[in-house]
Amino acid sequence: MTADLVRVPVFDGHNDILSRLMREGVEGAEQRFLQGQNNVHIDIPRAREGGLAGGLCAIYVPSPAGGLDANGDLPRVELHSAIDQTISQAALLGRIEAQSEGAFTICRTAADIRKAMEKGSFAAVFHIEGIEAAGPDLDIVHVLHAAGLRTLGPVWSRPNIFAHGVPFRFGHDPDIGPGLTDAGRDLIRLCNRLKIMVDLSHMNDAGFRDIAKISDAPLVASHSNAFAVCPHSRNATDWQLSAIRDTDGLIGLNFGVKFLHPEGKADPNMDISVMVRHIDYLVEHVGIDHVALGSDFDGTLISQKIGDATGLPRLLTALRDAGYDEESLVKIAHGNWIALLERTWGA
């Protein structure tokens, strides 16, 4: 790898900093993020050092205690608990913006993202990963959309009233469990009407296929990798990649080592070349205009060769050394995400 690191602004498709901050205590969480703290992947100082210009900030409700159910699935989240935790994390997102003195901007349009990046403000998009806070009436989706929600994943990797999230299984494809419920179909149609991007990263194969039939929007897997390189149930099969390509969609590279390593190893010293191998495969199958980054920062184990947001230039340098030109690097780093969101949300 060359000594000169590539410095291109990155807009990233997935981080879990909100739920991580909440786990560590809501008191002072805003300033911990804005001023910096130990043992996180993202905060404002790290973002500035690594060129992380923004991304999809996920609201995630942890699974209740108790282990797997009789079907081997993680237990469902109770509605009222999910509502409470969703509102708390959404409020934290808003307080970070309010206390940031312009360093952090919640973006509702692609134009907002561009403006925030131009002025050096972290361009945050309000995302929900598994919308357990919604009942079958979907009323809260309207409320959250009015509050800035612009992307959501119907499920995390557990069942809910909308679908059956794909469980974490290495050596097994995502063809596990049933597809969308009637409520799930209603949710996808509502997202299309409201121009909310639907994230397929935690969908099983049946749910993915149902959404492909129903949705009139580009298909997106915000933080998934190539199943052909790492046969993990969370990764995208060749059929799913073709569906993403054919709908002018996008897939974002997940930095989690267990979704990257060809043998499924949680190797904290995994080489960046494995990430490049996934990018190469994705580009080959969906095209350079449909591949981006979806780090899963603060939500999974990431190789020490990247470490945290400050390591992003090392990945871009590895891609350049592998033959990607400057135009391609800009597309992967941020251009493809902004273009995809513009296609989904409208001008």
Side-chain angles (χ1 to χ4, degrees):
M1 196 178 294
T2 66
D4 297 327
L5 293 179
V6 175
R7 303 277 179 182
V8 178
V10 170
F11 184 87
D12 180 52
H14 190 89
N15 73 71
D16 285 295
I17 189 59
L18 294 174
S19 58
R20 180 157 186 173
L21 289 170
M22 294 294 289
R23 287 197 307 273
E24 296 175 358
V26 68
E27 184 70 27
E30 303 87 356
Q31 290 303 312
R32 295 201 307 273
F33 176 78
L34 293 168
Q35 301 300 324
Q37 68 179 95
N38 294 328
N39 302 318
V40 296
H41 292 145
I42 296 178
D43 53 29
I44 290 298
R46 285 178 171 84
R48 287 174 173 165
E49 182 178 345
L52 179 61
L56 274 60
C57 296
I59 287 174
Y60 161 73
V61 177
S63 293
L68 303 180
D69 64 18
N71 297 318
D73 295 318
L74 289 164
R76 297 181 182 232
V77 176
E78 191 269 332
L79 177 63
H80 293 293
S81 175
I83 292 172
D84 288 346
Q85 294 187 67
T86 297
I87 296 302
S88 293
Q89 291 181 48
L92 174 59
L93 183 70
R95 291 196 303 272
I96 290 172
E97 181 184 47
Q99 296 182 26
S100 73
E101 299 181 345
F104 186 93
T105 303
I106 299 173
C107 299
R108 293 165 170 81
T109 67
D112 288 346
I113 295 171
R114 292 190 183 95
K115 290 176 184 176
M117 290 176 63
E118 286 170 4
K119 68 180 184 180
S121 180
F122 188 97
V125 174
F126 179 1
H127 170 75
I128 291 180
E129 183 178 34
I131 190 157
E132 280 94 354
D137 57 19
L138 301 177
D139 287 348
I140 198 170
V141 178
H142 292 275
V143 174
L144 293 170
H145 178 259
L149 176 68
R150 289 298 180 270
T151 85
L152 67 81
V155 292
W156 184 68
S157 287
R158 62 191 169 216
N160 63 20
I161 68 169
F162 302 112
H164 194 99
V166 66
F168 296 99
R169 295 181 187 172
F170 181 78
H172 199 300
D173 68 28
D175 188 10
I176 307 170
L180 296 180
T181 64
D182 288 343
R185 294 180 177 87
D186 290 341
L187 173 65
I188 301 307
R189 294 185 182 105
L190 177 61
C191 287
N192 284 175
R193 292 198 299 274
L194 295 178
K195 304 298 183 184
I196 295 173
M197 188 198 87
V198 176
D199 181 11
L200 300 168
S201 277
H202 285 272
M203 296 300 304
N204 64 5
D205 191 67
F208 192 112
R209 289 177 185 272
D210 286 344
I211 291 173
K213 292 175 185 175
I214 295 170
S215 181
D216 60 13
L219 298 177
V220 178
S222 71
H223 57 304
S224 296
N225 298 326
F227 181 85
V229 178
C230 172
H232 194 289
S233 58
R234 271 278 284 103
N235 287 339
T237 63
D238 285 355
W239 177 86
Q240 291 173 341
L241 293 177
S242 68
I244 289 169
R245 179 198 63 219
D246 293 347
T247 60
D248 209 11
L250 181 142
I251 183 166
L253 180 79
N254 189 315
F255 292 9
V257 292
K258 62 186 176 182
F259 310 127
L260 288 163
H261 197 288
E263 298 175 12
K265 294 179 179 178
D267 180 4
N269 295 305
M270 187 198 73
D271 196 77
I272 293 176
S273 63
V274 181
M275 304 172 77
V276 175
R277 181 179 173 190
H278 277 268
I279 290 282
D280 287 344
Y281 190 92
L282 296 174
V283 168
E284 179 183 352
H285 284 76
V286 302
I288 191 63
D289 294 324
H290 306 290
V291 177
L293 304 179
S295 67
D296 213 353
F297 278 145
D298 289 299
T300 193
L301 176 66
I302 291 173
S303 172
Q304 294 175 6
K305 302 297 177 63
I306 295 292
D308 56 28
T310 64
L312 288 168
R314 292 194 289 274
L315 172 59
L316 296 176
T317 298
L319 289 170
R320 182 183 64 186
D321 292 347
Y324 289 87
D325 61 19
E326 297 307 305
E327 180 182 5
S328 297
L329 291 176
V330 168
K331 287 182 177 183
I332 292 170
H334 64 262
N336 287 344
W337 259 122
I338 297 173
L340 178 281
L341 293 173
E342 191 165 52
R343 292 194 297 274
T344 304
W345 295 343

